[in-house]
Amino acid sequence: MEEDISLKKRKGDHHGEKGLQAGQEPGEKVKRKRGRPPAEKLPPNPPELTRTLNTLVDMVINYKDGLGRQISKGFVQLPSKKEVPEYYELIRKPVDFRRIRERVRNHKYRSVGDLEKDIFLLCHNAQTYNLEGSQIYEDSIVIKSVFESARQRIVADEEQKETVSASHGDNGRGAEDQFVQSVTPLPIQIKKEDRGITMAKRLHSDLDSDEDPEDNNTKDQG
């Protein structure tokens, strides 16, 4: 009986040694790698979708107001948590144009609607954190309107291309050339109600122009 018990113990020890990693001492804990596992790469989007997403982002980022000011500059990169910790306490889903570009590049957006959600989130975050009437607040309203206009323009261009393709199939190359000559670029238009809000807020913003500019720089991070 005692011999059977001893034999079982020896077998148990033998199997336990097999479970040890190479170079690991008995009783030593297995060290696990820290950090998040590498993100799974998504299959690439169709080239047409990637081109459309990049075009939309470029149109919004490069937009300038009537004074020639590129309003997207305050939204390119968020402040660090060390600089403005209270921003990350209030904003649960921070996003900026740097991250949006990266997500387009990594095929995170599977449709124009996915991109729209992040653009609208960016604007919502700016309006949540910043005071109504501040420059960054007003700019976020314009950015949302510019994106909506840019998306309508992209849709119109796609419809024109489909019409060209149909005409090309029916009437040959001459019909396409005639159509392309008749196409005129669609301007990006800001909604009238957004303009009214912006002008009204600019009046309030002027009253606050005596504030310390350093405080405004910290607060106006979208």
Side-chain angles (χ1 to χ4, degrees):
M1 185 68 179
E2 292 179 357
E3 292 180 359
D4 294 340
I5 293 174
S6 299
L7 181 61
K8 288 181 180 179
K9 285 184 178 180
R10 285 197 297 273
K11 287 183 177 180
D13 293 342
H14 180 66
H15 288 300
E17 290 174 359
K18 284 184 177 180
L20 296 175
Q21 296 180 356
Q24 181 183 353
E25 297 294 333
E28 184 181 355
K29 293 183 179 180
V30 178
K31 294 183 180 180
R32 297 182 179 180
K33 294 183 178 180
R34 294 183 178 181
R36 296 181 180 178
E40 182 180 356
K41 289 187 177 181
L42 297 172
N45 283 322
E48 296 80 7
L49 176 58
T50 300
R51 186 163 49 250
T52 297
L53 296 175
N54 280 317
T55 300
L56 282 169
V57 174
D58 289 341
M59 291 175 75
V60 176
I61 290 179
N62 296 330
Y63 175 81
K64 296 181 180 180
D65 62 11
L67 301 176
R69 185 175 61 92
Q70 189 172 344
I71 64 176
S72 63
K73 287 186 176 181
F75 301 83
V76 172
Q77 185 169 355
L78 290 170
S80 66
K81 290 183 179 181
K82 185 177 180 180
E83 293 174 344
V84 191
E86 62 272 14
Y87 179 88
Y88 294 89
E89 294 174 1
L90 180 63
I91 304 301
R92 297 302 179 185
K93 294 181 178 181
V95 66
D96 52 25
F97 279 120
R98 179 181 57 85
R99 297 184 188 185
I100 288 174
R101 279 198 181 280
E102 182 179 351
R103 289 170 184 174
V104 172
R105 185 169 57 253
N106 294 332
H107 308 284
K108 298 291 186 181
Y109 302 128
R110 311 309 287 184
S111 66
V112 175
D114 290 342
L115 172 62
E116 181 180 81
K117 290 178 182 178
D118 264 1
I119 295 290
F120 286 5
L121 176 62
L122 178 145
C123 297
H124 174 74
N125 289 346
Q127 294 170 23
T128 300
Y129 181 75
N130 296 281
L131 294 175
E132 184 175 357
S134 64
Q135 187 65 67
I136 201 79
Y137 190 105
E138 292 184 16
D139 289 345
S140 69
I141 296 175
V142 177
I143 284 177
K144 182 178 179 181
S145 183
V146 168
F147 177 83
E148 291 173 339
S149 298
R151 183 174 183 177
Q152 291 176 2
R153 177 175 176 176
I154 292 294
V155 170
D157 288 345
E158 291 298 327
E159 291 176 351
Q160 290 171 356
K161 289 179 182 178
E162 291 176 2
T163 304
V164 169
S165 298
S167 300
H168 179 68
D170 295 338
N171 303 324
R173 182 68 183 175
E176 180 178 348
D177 294 338
Q178 183 178 1
F179 180 81
V180 171
Q181 291 175 3
S182 66
V183 173
T184 55
L186 297 176
I188 294 178
Q189 296 181 350
I190 306 302
K191 293 181 179 179
K192 291 183 178 179
E193 54 268 27
D194 290 343
R195 286 181 177 176
I197 293 173
T198 302
M199 291 300 296
K201 288 172 182 173
R202 187 165 292 140
L203 294 176
H204 292 292
S205 180
D206 291 340
L207 296 177
D208 300 331
S209 59
D210 294 332
E211 294 179 2
D212 188 355
E214 294 184 359
D215 293 339
N216 286 338
N217 290 336
T218 303
K219 188 68 174 175
D220 285 354
Q221 295 293 335

